[in-house]
Amino acid sequence: YAIAMSNATVALWAAMWAKTEYTVWTSPLTFSAVANAAQMNGNNIEFVDVDRDTMCSSFEPDGIDDDSIYVPMDYAGYPSLEKPIPPYSADRFVLLDAAHSFGGTLTDGSSNTKHANAAVYSFHPVKIIATGEGGAIVTDDESFAQYMHEIRDNGRRDGLHVRTGLNLFMDEMSCALGISQIERLPQFLERRRQIANQYNWHFGKDIRLELQASHPGHAHHLYNLRLSTVVRCNVEEFINDLSALGVGSQRHYKLLTQMPIFRHLELNGLYPNAEHAYNRGISIPCYAGMTDAQVNQVIEAVDHTLDRYGH
């Protein structure tokens, strides 16, 4: 079942609305929509660190609550659920944040959502498939899908008001754009993987950089570089130098544990892999419309900046 919604944030919110009084477990290295969705529904939120190589959530936390929602994120498009999350309790619900990984697959070629109870996609303008704005939630659970349909339609079923809900529909023009985009998905993914492979080949043996682990089903929404300690500058300086060479780059994401809304919890230092990924990580251009000349320009700009700071 696939339920299209006005954006991925409300899809996350709707899924958690169906599971109130659960504890939401997620990584600090994610977009604030996950935390917003949890807190607006009255869910408690707990954090787990990321894996240093994949940069995806590492779900082996202690003290798991009986009623828990796990929200792993396919960071940059890396399929985070190659294997099922262990059933710490019978009531655990796995909600995959697949905003970066539309079209991603596991090693065996099956969908990257295979081991989740439900998954949320984003069709924001910067994503692999763009509808202007939009999102969707997918699931194999018929009753959960029905619940999502009702929440999306002002709490109605067969025209009758059966629960609380909102108007969360994706508009028809956005849907039409999305359908036309999906027809080109194989082309988009193939080009992103070509670019990522070229970056991997060029940067893979450079000791001044750390790269995200490779995976055959990676969707490559982002391409992330992490500066090693031999690079004697901070991320902002590196970004500014790339910009001066005509190459845009940015950081993903400001850690949730460092946001003002969580600062009182004093969580700094508890998630070293996530903190390293933020403190030393840069996303460089990787999108289907890039030309070979632009890819080479990015490579040359990164090399030039590394040579400036990394001897």
Side-chain angles (χ1 to χ4, degrees):
Y1 304 92
I3 302 93
M5 294 192 177
S6 53
N7 56 62
T9 298
V10 298
L12 286 166
W13 172 84
M16 294 183 194
W17 178 252
K19 302 286 181 180
T20 54
E21 300 183 6
Y22 276 49
T23 297
V24 173
W25 295 81
T26 194
S27 156
L29 189 66
T30 188
F31 187 53
S32 57
V34 175
N36 280 335
Q39 294 186 310
M40 289 178 69
N41 283 322
N43 300 104
N44 184 37
I45 187 165
E46 298 283 353
F47 297 105
V48 296
D49 206 357
V50 298
D51 179 86
R52 176 107 175 196
D53 294 327
T54 69
M55 302 169 72
C56 298
S57 309
S58 179
F59 277 102
E60 296 181 359
D62 297 324
I64 290 289
D65 296 323
D66 288 339
D67 298 319
S68 296
I69 303 173
Y70 305 101
V71 190
M73 181 188 190
D74 286 352
Y75 186 87
Y78 187 100
S80 60
L81 292 180
E82 187 67 45
K83 298 179 180 179
I85 295 175
Y88 297 105
S89 78
D91 294 317
R92 73 104 161 92
F93 186 87
V94 179
L95 176 63
L96 176 64
D97 182 349
H100 288 184
S101 60
F102 191 81
T105 63
L106 304 183
T107 300
D108 64 5
S110 60
S111 171
N112 58 312
T113 68
K114 177 180 178 179
H115 298 306
N117 297 91
V120 170
Y121 293 126
S122 172
F123 307 131
H124 183 274
V126 302
K127 297 300 193 295
I128 295 170
I129 292 297
T131 62
E133 186 59 276
I137 187 162
V138 296
T139 182
D140 287 335
D141 186 327
E142 183 178 7
S143 62
F144 181 76
Q146 180 62 44
Y147 201 108
M148 293 299 97
H149 277 291
E150 293 165 6
I151 291 176
R152 183 185 67 171
D153 189 16
N154 292 291
R156 298 190 307 163
R157 181 195 307 157
D158 299 327
L160 300 177
H161 193 172
V162 296
R163 66 178 77 255
T164 53
L166 294 168
N167 177 359
L168 305 178
F169 284 97
M170 184 191 298
D171 69 272
E172 292 185 3
M173 290 182 67
S174 296
C175 289
L177 177 57
I179 291 169
S180 69
Q181 291 262 299
I182 287 173
E183 293 172 353
R184 300 175 64 192
L185 178 62
Q187 171 189 337
F188 293 160
L189 290 173
E190 177 60 25
R191 180 54 182 158
R192 286 174 179 270
R193 287 168 179 159
Q194 288 174 356
I195 295 167
N197 287 339
Q198 191 166 347
Y199 286 156
N200 288 341
W201 181 85
H202 187 85
F203 296 128
K205 295 181 180 180
D206 194 324
I207 63 171
R208 299 170 296 184
L209 297 172
E210 296 177 29
L211 306 184
Q212 188 180 30
S214 60
H215 190 289
H218 202 307
H220 294 294
H221 166 59
L222 303 174
Y223 190 92
N224 187 270
L225 302 172
R226 282 164 288 169
L227 307 179
S228 73
T229 54
V230 302
V231 181
R232 299 183 308 275
C233 71
N234 60 39
V235 168
E236 284 77 12
E237 290 173 312
F238 204 93
I239 288 173
N240 289 339
D241 278 25
L242 289 180
S243 179
L245 295 170
V247 172
S249 59
Q250 58 184 317
R251 305 175 78 172
H252 288 89
Y253 289 101
K254 177 74 172 179
L255 299 183
L256 292 182
T257 48
Q258 296 177 4
M259 294 288 187
I261 196 169
F262 293 115
R263 197 169 291 159
H264 67 286
L265 299 177
E266 299 182 353
L267 299 173
N268 283 346
L270 298 182
Y271 311 98
N273 291 340
E275 291 171 12
H276 172 71
Y278 174 69
N279 291 334
R280 303 298 286 177
I282 300 171
S283 294
I284 61 174
C286 182
Y287 57 93
M290 286 184 75
T291 65
D292 290 342
Q294 288 173 324
V295 174
N296 289 330
Q297 180 185 357
V298 173
I299 290 172
E300 290 171 3
V302 172
D303 283 347
H304 178 85
T305 308
L306 285 172
D307 289 342
R308 178 177 181 183
Y309 295 109
H311 284 301

